[in-house]
Amino acid sequence: MIQFPYPRLNLIFDALLTQTLPQQELAQRFDVSTRTIRTDISALNDTLAHYGAQLLLRRGEGYYIDIYDQQRYNNITQQTQQMKQSPRSVKDRVTHLMLRLLNQQDGCKLDDLANQWFVSRTCLQADMTEVRELFQSYHLEIDSKPHYGLFVFGKESSIRACIAHILFQFKASDPTFINLCELFYPECDFAQLEQPLLMAMQQHSINLTDEGLHQLTVYCGVAISRLKRGLACDQTPCANVPNNALAAAEEIATLIASETQTIIDPCEINHLAIQIAARRVTGIKHWHVDDRNDNDADAFIDHLLHFINDHFNYNLLNDPQLKHDLLAHVHPMLLRVEHQITIPNPLADHIKRYYPLAYDMTVGAVSSWDARQIPDGEISFLVMHIGVGIERNYVQKNEKQPTVLLVCDSGTSVIRMLESQLLKAIPQLVIHKMHSIREYDALHEVTEDFVVSTEKLAVKNKPTMEFSPIASTFQLEQLNKLVHENRNHINALGKFFQPSFFSRIETPMTQHQLFAQLSAELEAKGIVPSHFHPSVIERENITSTMLGEGIAIPHSLGLCAKQSAVYTVLAPQGIEWGDGKRAYVIFLFAINKDDYEEAMGLYDLFVTLMKSKAVEHLLACYSFEHFTHVANECWNSCKKDW
């Protein structure tokens, strides 16, 4: 594989290997400007010139790969073996460092690794900061012994959970995953494990997504490796595990016993049962939700929906589909939280940025839930369900006619989120069926009008489109070639923005000073009550309101304003917003409960400005009229793209 100067070039090259993509789509997909894409294309061409290829721009279509020397281009595939070289990026080094520490019993010396990887010891010491933070979250300690190196101490279950956390971020087909397994677990054939595990799940009526099956396979492979070294798991009760998960665990334990030539203790079976139960999928049509009583799950869902109703005036209490989906997700979620089982959510940052209203509601509800601390990744999965519920109850109102087969292997929450995006963009669409990739492959033909999938599929008898879980503008545009779209946006600019609540701040100011000053002005004009300012601080303390691209949207916890208004602040010098980020365009908004439906249009505006990378243009505004003109231009441009 070609070694490009920086990681994004690899991603752009991979994207263009199979399709022609316009410049704007590449910019949105990789969250950069079109100018940066042009610079990246130039850098790619500098490297590809050595391999007899170049990227060309076809007007009206986009960039594509032109191969003018096939023999030299074929050398690219011959370089795939070089993937096993020393880790180069910080992320790769941190991954290798953690797995070395977790798998070596004889210590790990940074000096030796520095020489082996051709980096300085200082560089590795900096990487160790991130390593220690992750280990600490699993209650693992690093001890240094003179002349021997670094050692990791902690419960065996915690060590396995940490290893799994590291490996779960890679798919089974990812070259990095394959190389890590060959390097650290050469005695395990992960590919051979998958089929017997799938058969055990089917035999005991346990449904797993393809991703869930991969994660269970990884855990079993790691368990086999650890048991072969005599490292058995500690005792763990499994009170809330269904009987079929226990039965499947016992069957898998027989397989592990054969692989390790050891007797499997009951505690190992308990851990296996917990891993299975924590990844089972329920709630999609012919799949079922556990009928056993789970007071924790019921109480959590009741608290979540009542909080949203009481503080944000969105009544989702009478949505049976939402309750069904939440129950299906919360049952295994609470089990994962209890046993430190993490499932990766690569969409977490995107969810926060593109579903800010649902994110605010969910974060507020979860932060007031005292029973257990819910990790950020799990919160993002909940946001998907809440966002879908809001759009189903408050957005989707039109008749839907064209039918689509939605194919996704990432579980209920991702399916529901993508379904919601499609319905929001094309209200008349009917999501007729939902299948995993395995089920799709088994179909003889597709009866729906077309197929939308989050993975590349073999095309059957109907048009097939590959979508990102967070659908891009380009993908929706392609979809609109087949079906008619009609979307209406709320005129948030005209309703919520006023000239009296617009200012530029040219002098240094802290976040707390800004909140105090703006809240005082809003209170003095009768827009907000006295407790608005403390509520804004409380909301910011829960999690940052930085939306992205230098745009921040501070607000109160809930809809407590007497009247609705947005205070717009342009700060060319930037205001420190935590985690090393600075906000340059700040929208402090106060929404009254009577305007809760229009508030969705307000969030749409903020996301539009962020996606349009409008900060530079907004900072050039010196009047409210100029600001509204620029904002409207971004808004209308985005609507045309959709």
Side-chain angles (χ1 to χ4, degrees), residues 246-470:
L246 279 169
E250 291 173 354
E251 184 173 332
I252 295 172
T254 303
L255 171 65
I256 293 177
S258 175
E259 288 286 333
T260 60
Q261 299 298 309
T262 59
I263 298 174
I264 305 301
D265 293 334
C267 62
E268 290 285 350
I269 297 176
N270 285 351
H271 276 280
L272 275 171
I274 290 169
Q275 294 291 328
I276 294 168
R279 291 181 175 82
R280 70 197 190 284
V281 178
T282 59
I284 300 183
K285 294 190 177 180
H286 57 281
W287 299 351
H288 66 279
V289 179
D290 290 345
D291 56 5
R292 63 188 176 84
N293 183 34
D294 189 332
N295 293 330
D296 282 352
D298 292 336
F300 179 85
I301 293 169
D302 186 66
H303 168 80
L304 182 66
L305 297 183
H306 274 92
F307 183 95
I308 291 171
N309 183 51
D310 295 342
H311 290 80
F312 292 90
N313 218 33
Y314 286 89
N315 186 359
L316 305 176
L317 294 165
N318 300 315
D319 184 341
Q321 181 66 65
L322 176 60
K323 286 188 175 181
H324 183 271
D325 291 346
L326 282 173
L327 188 62
H329 179 79
V330 171
H331 271 293
M333 181 197 79
L334 294 180
L335 193 63
R336 290 194 295 269
V337 171
E338 181 180 354
H339 294 281
Q340 287 189 300
I341 298 173
T342 57
I343 55 175
N345 189 349
L347 305 175
D349 289 339
H350 293 281
I351 291 165
K352 179 179 178 181
R353 296 170 71 174
Y354 296 112
Y355 282 80
L357 177 58
Y359 185 84
D360 273 341
M361 294 177 177
T362 310
V363 164
V366 170
S367 65
S368 62
W369 174 252
D370 298 328
R372 297 172 193 167
Q373 184 176 359
I374 310 297
D376 290 342
E378 296 286 2
I379 290 176
S380 297
F381 283 119
L382 292 172
V383 171
M384 296 181 193
H385 290 296
I386 297 301
V388 169
I390 292 172
E391 292 178 351
R392 179 166 52 240
N393 287 278
Y394 291 93
V395 177
Q396 299 162 10
K397 298 176 181 177
N398 298 335
E399 292 296 322
K400 304 174 283 289
Q401 296 176 354
T403 58
V404 58
L405 174 63
L406 183 58
V407 181
C408 179
D409 68 347
S410 299
T412 309
S413 56
V414 176
I415 289 176
R416 295 294 186 206
M417 183 180 69
L418 184 54
E419 178 189 22
S420 173
Q421 292 176 84
L422 296 180
L423 290 175
K424 184 179 180 181
I426 310 170
Q428 67 269 31
L429 195 66
V430 173
I431 308 297
H432 195 221
K433 292 182 180 178
M434 289 177 282
H435 288 274
S436 71
I437 293 177
R438 293 196 306 272
E439 291 171 315
Y440 174 83
D441 290 337
L443 290 176
H444 294 294
E445 64 177 20
V446 176
T447 58
E448 289 73 17
D449 296 323
F450 48 91
V451 179
V452 169
S453 172
T454 56
E455 301 288 342
K456 190 174 182 62
L457 297 176
V459 179
K460 296 185 182 292
N461 60 313
K462 292 295 175 67
T464 303
M465 286 161 284
E466 183 180 346
F467 265 50
S468 305
I470 299 291

Side-chain angles (χ1 to χ4, degrees), residues 509-548:
M509 179 177 286
T510 66
Q511 185 188 73
H512 286 291
Q513 289 173 334
L514 178 72
F515 290 167
Q517 178 179 317
L518 302 188
S519 298
E521 289 188 39
L522 291 171
E523 184 180 349
K525 295 186 179 182
I527 302 295
V528 299
S530 58
H531 65 270
F532 177 79
H533 180 215
S535 183
V536 171
I537 296 175
E538 181 184 358
R539 171 59 186 86
E540 194 69 37
N541 288 337
I542 293 173
T543 185
S544 174
T545 55
M546 174 67 75
L547 188 62

